[in-house]
Amino acid sequence: MIHPRTRRQLLRDLTGAGVGAASIGLVGRDLLDTDDEVADAAAPSCTLTPEVTQGPYYLDLDKVRRNITEGKHGLRLDLRIKVVDASTCKAIEDAAVEIWHCDAGGTYSGFSQEGTAGKTYLRGTQLTDAKGVAQFRTVYPGWYQGRAIHIHMKVHVGGHTVHTGQLFFNDSVSDRVVRLSPYSSHRGTRLRNKADQIYRQAGGSGALLRLRRRKASAFRKGLIGTITVGIDE
């Protein structure tokens, strides 16, 4: 975990690193099985897909941390987001990957209209390692009116924001998760992926996280989600 430097300092330090990405894509497929052996990320196909809106709940925070839960309850989700050169599939080191999402009840931190002003849960940034992988510990997101379950993401390379996108979850997996506490107390209508316009804009199945159980045959112990992000250097 990186503590001494803030995200802004990381971006300043990486300015001029020689990686200028014009566009980015999300590639991966969803998989839920009993194998607890974890790959660094989903096998890359190096396909570019469109960027999508950052949405109304982005905050420009200095939260460089792996564990973003801040005590929020929900099914554990360990994320492995890999950043590669889309033309060569070569891993990109020191890309700053920033994520944020709602809690199990569909609420975002940091907004007075949500009743969460001053809170920063479920937001954070990590640098990719030598294998191009940024790792996070979070919880499976909930949902809110008019949207499928998703995670927001930005990728910063060479001091510049090179991608704004969203990651999605297989509906059949979400169907299992929402039967668990605390999700089961949420009475709002959950939109399925195919009815979500942003899911389609993000490339549909190309924006799905690949999911595995953290522990063999123990769904309630949490999931590991992996995806590969291809950037055009």
Side-chain angles (χ1 to χ4, degrees), residues 66-109:
R66 180 177 295 186
N67 188 335
I68 66 173
T69 56
E70 289 191 14
K72 277 292 176 179
H73 296 294
L75 184 69
R76 177 170 172 171
L77 177 64
D78 292 350
L79 289 176
R80 309 285 188 267
I81 300 172
K82 185 169 186 176
V83 181
V84 301
D85 182 311
S87 61
T88 65
C89 288
K90 181 180 178 181
I92 303 297
E93 187 175 4
D94 287 334
V97 179
E98 182 179 10
I99 65 169
W100 68 101
H101 62 84
C102 67
D103 65 11
T107 301
Y108 285 88
S109 64

Side-chain angles (χ1 to χ4, degrees), residues 145-160:
Q145 188 68 32
R147 289 302 316 277
I149 294 177
H150 62 281
I151 291 175
H152 296 267
M153 179 182 66
K154 285 182 180 286
V155 179
H156 313 275
V157 178
H160 304 284

